Amino acid sequence: MTQTSLTVLSATLRTTEPDDFYLPPLPRLLPVSYHPQAARIEIVSNGWVRRMLGECFADEAMLLVFLRQRNGIYGPITVPYADPARAQNIADWYQFVTVIDSFVSDETALGADSDAAREAFSAIMADVGTDGSGGAASTAYGRAAQDLWRRIRPGMSPHQVTRLVRSLKSFLDGCATEISVKLSGRVPDLETCMRVRMGSFGCEFLELFTEYAAEVDMSELAAQGVFDKAHHHGMRQLIIVNDLLSWRKEYADRDTMTTMRVLSEHEGLGQQEAVDRLCELVEHHERAYIAARDEVLNGPHGNDRDVRAYLSGLDHLIGGSQEFEYLTPRYFGDGSVWDGSTSGWLSLSAPIDRFRAAPAPPPRQPTKGASS
Amino acid sequence: MTQTSLTVLSATLRTTEPDDFYLPPLPRLLPVSYHPQAARIEIVSNGWVRRMLGECFADEAMLLVFLRQRNGIYGPITVPYADPARAQNIADWYQFVTVIDSFVSDETALGADSDAAREAFSAIMADVGTDGSGGAASTAYGRAAQDLWRRIRPGMSPHQVTRLVRSLKSFLDGCATEISVKLSGRVPDLETCMRVRMGSFGCEFLELFTEYAAEVDMSELAAQGVFDKAHHHGMRQLIIVNDLLSWRKEYADRDTMTTMRVLSEHEGLGQQEAVDRLCELVEHHERAYIAARDEVLNGPHGNDRDVRAYLSGLDHLIGGSQEFEYLTPRYFGDGSVWDGSTSGWLSLSAPIDRFRAAPAPPPRQPTKGASS
């Protein structure tokens, strides 16, 4: 390679992302298991989405794209120990919020206009009501939310129901903020990104549904701050793993609210450097979560059966989320099928990808600046 | 509608199949459950197919079409009670034979030439060896068969291993016969069809793997004919349910070895009449299977724990097969996602379909003879 071609190549790398990046094996120190009825729960949940939310999709083809993402198995992987009826409710809830999240990322749908999105979200909150008692439900979203409320509410304490309302609001607020930041083209700093993502990732209801699945009520202890450290590190692990595994999708969606973009814009890291840095952060937060969890287990609440059940549930939430993110065609391309591998090369441009042992061969069609 | 247009319509119906048919609810008198590790077993099995049989597919896209059919969940649905390692072996085995079956239906692959297919099948049998000890395994099929043998053999009695070899041969013979009959364009009579299908549907190994899953050896009792009646009706139920649910695929593949074509050619039934007749036969054989099973349970072997386990396994095989056939995109079109429904209208021409509450609206493009 001549000096000239090296200069050209270097300029190319500075102005465009390399197409391939390598995802190293992540620690995976937390347990992963599937609900014994996972397969069946996913199917039933797909029926629920078609029935309750089908009309939100532009057409049957778009509904099928969503169903092929297997979002209905997120619940059964994160609450493998739950009573089947509760696991079903949780699966449906996560599908509900993932439908919303999908349209938030879509600039031809909710993602086109943050004011319109905020209006749509207010309508959902009105349908739910401050106590979940419900409004007129003129939209499919509102009817779906009411259906979930009707099924979930009897299994929650009044405290938890209040938190459920608040967690939905916090999720929708996070989504609306993501839309306006993205439309402005701004890339937030790390702490802003984390704060918004805590909302738009649904961290409040992730914690709450972990209680619901374990049939415990941590409202008081959580309010006292007993789980603050475990939540802090656990939720950061969740978000960063998501940013790594969803990077193909976020890049395609030109999303700005992801730590990959934050590290690139604010710390000047290249794509692979950002991936490597995030992998270090995943390990840091995963180990810090385990230490914080053990601190609670060894502390004054450590013999409380409910506390132990909740913490075990958090383990499965974190381990299961990651498993789902390796599995879903949402991140690896519509039509992909997971073969169980968790590390390797990925391409930003391949419509369908999987972890490969080597970078992709050079593209057949010449691309801008990639000559010589 | 005028007399003239009625005549035209009537002529049209006589010369072409109506595009839509209605599948009524089937009895479903047998239990259905999913293996508690079904979701995970399917993923691992997809990894096995990629590793062992990936090269059999023309390209990555064709491999993905196969994996999207979810053939890896057939095992876990038919042996929900099995030890997980055995369930995994069974899942892989069924994927292996389904890969072969897919290429048998494909006139650009094994289905192009029955002599070439017989040669390929002989090579597989040589790799397996009469006792499963194995040959040189120069093909991916041979290597996959040897891998399965190595894992499955230790869990079978010598009798069962002999039966496994015989059952694979019988399956491959059935496949080869299907190819030559299809290439000749002949539609067999019902009894011929059933005989060939017993082979190509793999009925011998379906029974054998039911024993393997239940960890029992029925070789002697089966040879004495104790299960003949239960097998006869059970396997006919399996085959006819398969013919109903796979009709969209078999029609597209111009398959002749299906009871749908038999009833049309030899009894002059229209498509809907054939469907309705087959539904009656499903009910007949399902009830006759249950009666035959109960006869064994109430007979001299009825208190034998192994016999009871085997018969319960047969129940799950039959119920689970049907569940799988509602679920698989193999029959409802690449990209379909099951929502749990089991009855309704289906179209022969829609690339992706699902059970609909009403026939499809008339096609947008005019089709031959469908005017007025």
Side-chain angles (χ1 to χ4, degrees), chain B residues 6-307:
Chain B
L6 265 176
T7 312
V8 171
L9 184 61
S10 156
T12 306
L13 288 178
R14 273 204 306 274
T15 54
T16 64
E17 297 289 7
D19 189 60
D20 270 39
F21 64 97
Y22 176 74
L23 187 80
L26 292 168
R28 305 198 84 191
L29 307 172
L30 294 165
V32 173
S33 40
Y34 288 69
H35 194 284
Q37 297 191 27
R40 187 74 202 158
I41 288 170
E42 181 186 2
I43 291 164
V44 172
S45 189
N46 285 340
W48 183 83
V49 169
R50 174 179 287 286
R51 210 165 54 248
M52 301 298 298
L53 295 165
E55 67 187 74
C56 303
F57 294 85
D59 55 24
E60 173 73 14
M62 294 310 294
L63 170 62
L64 285 173
V65 168
F66 180 83
L67 296 179
R68 285 194 293 266
Q69 293 176 349
R70 306 197 63 182
N71 300 300
I73 208 167
Y74 182 79
I77 301 183
T78 51
V79 297
Y81 49 85
D83 159 76
R86 288 194 182 214
Q88 188 72 58
N89 293 343
I90 291 170
D92 294 349
W93 172 277
Y94 288 144
Q95 295 241 53
F96 169 66
V97 294
T98 310
V99 169
I100 294 174
D101 183 66
S102 299
F103 290 125
V104 162
S105 301
D106 179 351
E107 286 183 25
T108 68
L110 283 174
D113 178 342
S114 63
D115 290 338
R118 278 186 203 275
E119 255 179 61
F121 295 158
S122 297
I124 297 174
M125 291 311 298
D127 286 333
V128 163
T130 47
D131 60 351
S133 60
S138 59
T139 68
Y141 292 123
R143 286 188 295 276
Q146 287 185 350
D147 178 67
L148 290 164
W149 239 263
R150 184 185 52 71
R151 291 152 55 196
I152 292 167
R153 195 181 167 156
M156 285 191 170
S157 71
H159 252 134
Q160 287 176 311
V161 173
T162 308
R163 287 168 60 207
L164 185 58
V165 176
R166 202 173 61 209
S167 75
L168 181 59
K169 177 144 190 354
S170 154
F171 165 71
L172 296 173
D173 285 346
C175 288
T177 305
E178 274 204 21
I179 294 171
S180 44
V181 172
K182 179 177 166 183
L183 290 175
S184 78
R186 289 194 314 270
V187 175
D189 60 51
L190 188 63
E191 283 313 303
T192 307
C193 178
M194 280 295 179
R195 190 170 36 74
V196 176
R197 290 294 299 290
M198 289 285 281
S200 66
F201 202 74
C203 292
E204 286 184 43
F205 58 65
L206 290 175
E207 292 160 11
L208 182 57
F209 279 115
T210 303
E211 296 175 32
Y212 174 74
E215 307 194 20
V216 301
D217 183 357
M218 295 290 112
S219 302
E220 278 187 36
L221 290 180
Q224 290 166 25
V226 169
F227 307 114
D228 279 2
K229 221 181 341 174
H231 285 166
H232 173 85
H233 292 293
M235 296 302 134
R236 293 208 167 203
Q237 195 275 10
L238 276 184
I239 289 168
I240 298 170
V241 166
N242 181 261
D243 284 355
L244 283 165
L245 289 166
S246 70
W247 174 231
R248 278 171 39 89
K249 174 180 184 293
E250 304 302 337
Y251 179 81
D253 288 346
R254 298 193 305 281
D255 204 334
T256 56
M257 195 64 76
T258 160
T259 50
M260 280 295 293
R261 293 295 304 279
V262 168
L263 292 181
S264 153
E265 299 285 321
H266 293 279
E267 305 201 18
L269 301 192
Q271 174 174 257
Q272 188 63 51
E273 290 171 302
V275 167
D276 295 342
R277 173 78 63 85
L278 290 182
C279 290
E280 288 165 19
L281 282 174
V282 167
E283 175 147 12
H284 163 71
H285 288 298
E286 195 164 318
R287 292 189 184 281
Y289 161 78
I290 290 170
R293 175 201 68 185
D294 288 346
E295 210 174 289
V296 179
L297 287 173
N298 297 324
H301 304 287
N303 288 325
D304 180 330
R305 253 179 49 178
D306 288 2
V307 168

Side-chain angles (χ1 to χ4, degrees), chain A residues 240-266:
Chain A
I240 298 171
V241 165
N242 180 261
D243 284 356
L244 283 165
L245 290 166
S246 69
W247 174 231
R248 278 170 41 87
K249 174 178 184 293
E250 303 303 336
Y251 178 81
D253 288 347
R254 297 192 305 280
D255 205 332
T256 56
M257 195 64 76
T258 160
T259 50
M260 280 294 293
R261 293 296 305 280
V262 168
L263 291 182
S264 153
E265 299 285 321
H266 293 279

Side-chain angles (χ1 to χ4, degrees), chain A residues 22-43:
Chain A
Y22 175 74
L23 187 79
L26 292 169
R28 308 198 82 190
L29 307 172
L30 294 165
V32 173
S33 39
Y34 289 69
H35 194 284
Q37 297 190 27
R40 185 75 203 158
I41 288 170
E42 182 186 1
I43 291 162

